[in-house]
DNA sequence: CCATGTTTTGTCAATGGTGACAGAACCGCT
DNA sequence: AGCGGTTCTGTCACCATTGACAAAACATGG
């Protein structure tokens, strides 16, 4: 009896779909390509397409999302007695930052793609990031109040993505700049979050 | 030639649609009610429904969104030399908080409604709040760096909504509790944001 | 009242996305 | 090869949302 959910055939169609999508996107643009076209080009049904990818646009953000996995792993690897901001900083910089992908996102944002769509996705990633931080905080021995944990996590995520937003709106986007912006922002937060027991008095 | 875009007839159908939607939602639930049913019950076409409301779920969050308008107004009314956190606090508390509506949102979140849908909307409101704060910050004379403005705004919004999330997850939700949570959170941020020139060193 | 321009609706047709159910392909085993 | 249980696909049906274009309702100057 088979029990591995990731069969060979499944993987084949997944690859075929991704390939077809990439080609079509490049050829005629993202919005101009319908999900049905992708499915057809890959030799499967529309329904099957949606069985492999939650949405058409997910094909664009795949890199982005896997980055989140890395972040989670990097975060658990951090010592529990380390200041949160430091952990987040370290985890953030453990990202296999793909300038290519990020620049693509930034470019899409200004041009073809429905901005709402991409902004919505960024917000989703931010929320996931916050969730990851919440999990990390709750792993610590000294169980804090729920308010502390949630607000701290959200504030950190907001700071990181705020820096990223600023970066994305720039003309020139270098990896060094992004690192600098993130670093500066986190350093600023660090002062408030750590050494004075912020968020611990409620 | 008529030029007022808000005709009598238009308003009539809008009201009819809202009434029909409210009734149907109450009778058979939100998700179980299709947009077409609402339109039909109001005596118009589906397309017309979407001409008056951007989406089916918008009918649920109307109160929420108008609250945002109030926030914007309350924010501009604040003196420009006041610390940001104080302005935000004051504006937040100027909300015509409708416990009814908020409780409904909180209730929906746990039950019938597609959580993604409602969470997504909350994120949208949070983003709007951040934008409002950005505008307010930019109105000040001392033009700060873009990073400062964006990050500060996002962090404040994140803090407020973090408090709200905690509140929403509680069993009992009183107005006093929400106020207390928001107040505590903002006070915590206040220390970091103001008296030490946070976010001003980049 | 009528001609005319405007606003609002209706109609038609797509696309994105999803649940339910049945059939096809596949896996490990004999 | 043949079998029995899984997994993957195809088919069908449905809902949410939107653009394009035409018909209907309405307001107003003449």
């Amino acid at each position: 009896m088979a029990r591995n959910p990731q069969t060979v055939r499944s993987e084949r169609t997944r690859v075929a779909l991704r390939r077809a999508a990439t080609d079509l996107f490049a050829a005629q643009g993202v919005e101009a390509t319908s999900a049905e076209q992708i499915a057809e080009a890959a030799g499967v049904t529309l329904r099957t397409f949606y069985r492999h990818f939650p949405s058409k646009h997910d094909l664009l953000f795949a890199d982005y999302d896997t980055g989140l996995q890395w972040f989670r792993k990097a975060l658990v690897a951090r010592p529990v007695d380390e200041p949160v901001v430091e952990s987040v900083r370290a985890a953030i910089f453990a990202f296999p930052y793909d300038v290519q992908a990020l620049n693509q996102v930034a470019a899409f944002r200004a041009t073809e793609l429905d901005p709402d769509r991409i902004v919505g996705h960024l917000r989703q990633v931010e929320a996931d990031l916050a969730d990851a931080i919440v999990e990390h905080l709750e792993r610590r021995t000294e169980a804090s109040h729920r308010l502390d944990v949630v607000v701290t996590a959200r504030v950190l995520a907001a700071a990181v993505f705020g820096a990223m937003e600023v970066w994305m709106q720039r003309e020139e986007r270098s990896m060094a700049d992004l690192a600098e912006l993130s670093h500066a922002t986190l350093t600023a937060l660090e002062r408030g979050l750590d050494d004075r027991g912020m968020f611990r008095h409620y």
Side-chain angles (χ1 to χ4, degrees), chain A:
Chain A
M1 50 201 127
R3 60 199 80 85
N4 189 344
Q6 219 61 24
T7 347
V8 181
R9 183 164 64 141
S10 168
E11 186 58 25
R12 251 204 315 259
T13 68
R14 194 189 308 278
V15 170
L17 280 170
R18 207 188 292 275
R19 258 186 57 85
T22 309
D23 291 353
L24 286 171
F25 285 169
Q28 38 180 274
V30 179
E31 295 305 322
T33 304
S34 75
E36 195 163 13
Q37 281 179 51
I38 303 175
E40 201 168 341
V44 293
T45 319
L46 176 67
R47 196 62 186 83
T48 294
F49 171 84
Y50 282 111
R51 282 203 186 89
H52 288 275
F53 301 95
S55 90
K56 193 178 79 172
H57 296 83
D58 257 66
L59 284 161
L60 291 173
F61 303 123
D63 307 331
Y64 228 113
D65 293 336
T66 59
L68 199 61
Q69 305 304 326
W70 290 63
F71 177 79
R72 279 205 143 85
K73 285 206 184 95
L75 208 53
V76 287
R78 290 268 117 195
V80 290
D81 57 341
E82 183 183 52
V84 206
V85 188
E86 196 45 45
S87 302
V88 170
R89 190 203 310 276
I92 284 288
F93 282 91
F95 253 56
Y97 272 123
D98 185 349
V99 210
Q100 225 54 35
L102 281 178
N103 264 316
Q104 196 186 33
V105 172
F108 274 148
R109 191 167 174 183
T111 60
E112 192 217 348
L113 264 191
D114 174 12
D116 284 357
R117 192 77 72 155
I118 193 165
V119 167
H121 193 268
L122 283 179
R123 283 209 277 264
Q124 174 68 53
V125 177
E126 178 178 338
D128 290 345
L129 185 78
D131 283 347
I133 300 177
V134 165
E135 285 174 23
H136 178 251
L137 285 174
E138 281 173 345
R139 217 178 349 254
R140 304 174 130 191
T141 39
E142 17 131 8
S144 313
H145 283 282
R146 180 107 190 109
L147 183 67
D148 297 345
V149 171
V150 170
V151 170
T152 301
R154 280 180 171 240
V155 162
L156 281 169
V160 170
F161 273 75
M164 187 178 290
E165 182 188 327
V166 171
W167 179 77
M168 280 199 174
Q169 287 174 354
R170 291 190 169 176
E171 295 293 327
E172 293 295 325
R173 290 179 294 274
S174 75
M175 234 40 238
D177 283 353
L178 179 54
E180 192 178 351
L181 289 176
S182 305
H183 188 80
T185 302
L186 285 176
T187 301
L189 269 190
E190 205 158 23
R191 303 192 192 162
L193 282 180
D194 269 346
D195 37 69
R196 294 204 288 164
M198 202 177 189
F199 300 132
R200 300 204 179 283
H201 63 86
Y202 178 77

